[in-house]
Amino acid sequence: MVGVIIKVTGSWHEVRLDDGTIISCRITGKLRLEDIKTTNPVGVGDHVTIEYEGDDQSRGIISEVLPRRNYIVRQSPRRKHDLHLLAANVDQAILVTTLIQPMLKMGFIDRFLLMTEPHNIPVVIILNKCDLFTDEEWEIFGGLKIMYEEIGYSVISCSSVSGKGLEELKSILKDKTSMVAGQSGVGKSTLINTLQPGIGLKTDEISDYSGKGQHTTTFAEMFPLDIGGFIIDTPGIKMLSYNNLEPLDVAHNFREFFELSSSCRFPNCLHLEEPGCAVKKAVEEGTASPLRYEHYLQIMSEVQDQNYWERHKGL
Ligand SMILES: Nc1nc2c(ncn2[C@@H]2O[C@H](COP(=O)(O)OP(=O)(O)OP(=O)(O)O)[C@@H](O)[C@H]2O)c(=O)[nH]1
Ligand SMILES: [Mg+2]
Ligand SMILES: [Zn+2]
């Protein structure tokens, strides 16, 4: 039988079959995985082959993971060679952000896009809790919308309190498998509860934005939507580090810079100090975003520092 993993808690994997039946499955023995090594060998969204465990039709064993169409991994903040599988086989990622409560971390959106870009996973950026926006926040929203839509990401404003943007969001989610992600406290679970009443996801009742970072959602879980499609709620992301990457990985996954790079003088231009760099020229002329470039430089310097220390280790 073939099913899809909808939730993983410890060594139990909930697998949904085509007819909607949910079976708790374990992994015994070794699974053959073609893709990458991750701390969790399978994750939500993985298609798996299962067998019943004896006569008990509510328990199963995962015998095979089917090839993935795509996947989203993040680097462990503590151990740079540990990759954690966030979700597999998604049609799109919904990045939920807010401008206040909690404040949007500088560069967070661009760091997130570096996770989805290697597989060209479409991203919709939500600026949530827009019921709290004053003129100032609406102005920032307008700026971000222009900036990201220019490079092909949709940007919408939403609020579970006022209902704004929810119809548009529904039309985006309809008939697709979407991973919802973002910082803790931005309202991901509340949004899903509002879109699909009755789901009853735990949300943070006491608003606490002190930055202590308690996470209300602690594991990823996939739910069917009445409008068609599936939605994956995920735990809040505290920070995204990328020092496991090589400089060219970063250069290739800022999509508009990659596009410009064919006009750079040097084929492997990292858009730093190289002469004849088309990216730097575009930033200076205002046709590429200086903010994106600033975040690019930040990530690039983290990656290069890391490579420097690796080379000089043991000297
Ligand atoms: N003003 C306002 N508050 C909201 C909105 N949506 C959610 N909240 C509040 O924001 C807080 C956090 O909501 P959650 O849905 O738990 O946030 P989350 O993103 O799922 O957080 P984690 O599970 O920790 O990642 C709660 O106190 C919600 O009531 C909104 O649209 N407007
Ligand atoms: Mg949550
Ligand atoms: Zn260049």
Side-chain angles (χ1 to χ4, degrees), residues 5 64 109:
I5 297 183
E64 194 188 355
I109 295 177

Side-chain angles (χ1 to χ4, degrees), residues 129 131 160-161 184-190 203-204 207 209 216-217 236:
K129 306 196 187 183
D131 55 290
S160 299
V161 170
S184 194
V186 294
K188 299 181 290 299
S189 302
T190 307
T203 58
D204 183 11
S207 302
Y209 304 108
T216 307
T217 304

Side-chain angles (χ1 to χ4, degrees), residues 84-147:
H84 184 76
L85 178 67
L86 286 181
N89 304 312
V90 299
D91 294 314
Q92 59 188 355
I94 310 294
L95 170 57
V96 183
T97 70
T98 55
L99 293 172
I100 25 177
Q101 297 184 4
M103 248 174 67
L104 175 61
K105 264 199 217 148
M106 267 297 274
F108 186 82
I109 295 177
D110 295 326
R111 280 177 191 268
F112 183 88
L113 296 175
L114 206 44
M115 264 198 310
T116 50
E117 212 49 24
H119 287 277
N120 294 315
I121 295 168
V123 177
V124 176
I125 302 167
I126 291 185
L127 292 218
N128 199 24
K129 306 196 187 183
C130 71
D131 55 290
L132 301 174
F133 287 9
T134 63
D135 289 351
E136 192 187 340
E137 280 79 31
W138 280 116
E139 204 168 298
I140 298 172
F141 167 77
L144 290 172
K145 188 171 168 75
I146 291 171
M147 172 176 156

Side-chain angles (χ1 to χ4, degrees), residues 29-304:
K30 263 210 155 44
L31 290 174
R32 206 167 41 82
L33 293 166
E34 330 175 349
D35 295 324
I36 27 100
K37 262 214 164 68
T38 47
T39 47
N40 49 341
V42 292
V44 171
D46 260 323
H47 296 271
V48 292
T49 307
I50 64 161
E51 284 139 35
Y52 287 128
E53 191 171 356
D55 295 334
D56 186 354
Q57 302 225 326
S58 68
R59 291 284 157 92
I61 288 170
I62 296 177
S63 52
E64 194 188 355
V65 183
L66 303 183
R68 291 173 183 141
R69 180 155 59 92
N70 59 36
Y71 52 81
I72 303 177
V73 289
R74 60 169 298 194
Q75 181 191 337
S76 148
R78 286 172 301 279
R79 303 177 48 161
K80 77 168 199 132
H81 291 296
D82 283 359
L83 294 176
H84 184 76
L85 178 67
L86 286 181
N89 304 312
V90 299
D91 294 314
Q92 59 188 355
I94 310 294
L95 170 57
V96 183
T97 70
T98 55
L99 293 172
I100 25 177
Q101 297 184 4
M103 248 174 67
L104 175 61
K105 264 199 217 148
M106 267 297 274
F108 186 82
I109 295 177
D110 295 326
R111 280 177 191 268
F112 183 88
L113 296 175
L114 206 44
M115 264 198 310
T116 50
E117 212 49 24
H119 287 277
N120 294 315
I121 295 168
V123 177
V124 176
I125 302 167
I126 291 185
L127 292 218
N128 199 24
K129 306 196 187 183
C130 71
D131 55 290
L132 301 174
F133 287 9
T134 63
D135 289 351
E136 192 187 340
E137 280 79 31
W138 280 116
E139 204 168 298
I140 298 172
F141 167 77
L144 290 172
K145 188 171 168 75
I146 291 171
M147 172 176 156
Y148 285 106
E149 293 198 335
E150 204 148 277
I151 52 172
Y153 303 103
S154 320
V155 180
I156 63 170
S157 58
C158 279
S159 165
S160 299
V161 170
S162 71
K164 189 172 184 308
L166 297 184
E167 284 311 310
E168 190 178 0
L169 180 56
K170 275 187 188 167
S171 68
I172 290 169
L173 298 172
K174 190 175 167 7
D175 298 329
K176 300 231 168 83
T177 298
S178 312
M179 180 188 90
V180 176
Q183 287 174 245
S184 194
V186 294
K188 299 181 290 299
S189 302
T190 307
L191 205 52
I192 297 174
N193 281 341
T194 313
L195 290 166
Q196 184 64 47
I199 239 175
L201 287 176
K202 202 170 152 226
T203 58
D204 183 11
E205 277 121 45
I206 324 132
S207 302
D208 173 16
Y209 304 108
S210 58
K212 279 189 300 240
Q214 93 261 16
H215 296 228
T216 307
T217 304
T218 48
F219 47 81
E221 185 167 3
M222 188 195 286
F223 303 93
L225 291 170
D226 287 345
I227 51 167
F230 297 92
I231 198 156
I232 304 172
D233 191 19
T234 65
I237 299 172
K238 219 183 258 169
M239 69 165 185
L240 291 169
S241 3
Y242 282 107
N243 47 22
N244 65 322
L245 293 184
E246 293 297 325
L248 270 180
D249 294 329
V250 182
H252 287 176
N253 288 301
F254 269 70
R255 53 166 69 164
E256 75 280 31
F257 299 167
F258 180 63
E259 217 164 88
L260 284 164
S261 66
S262 57
S263 308
C264 292
R265 188 176 305 162
F266 298 107
N268 280 346
C269 186
L270 294 178
H271 324 311
L272 301 171
E273 299 299 330
E274 296 95 330
C277 172
V279 171
K280 276 190 80 163
K281 185 160 170 272
V283 172
E284 274 154 23
E285 288 174 353
T287 49
S289 156
L291 202 58
R292 285 267 289 169
Y293 185 62
E294 190 185 321
H295 300 151
Y296 172 84
L297 290 180
Q298 239 160 42
I299 298 170
M300 197 56 105
S301 87
E302 288 168 25
V303 170
Q304 291 187 316

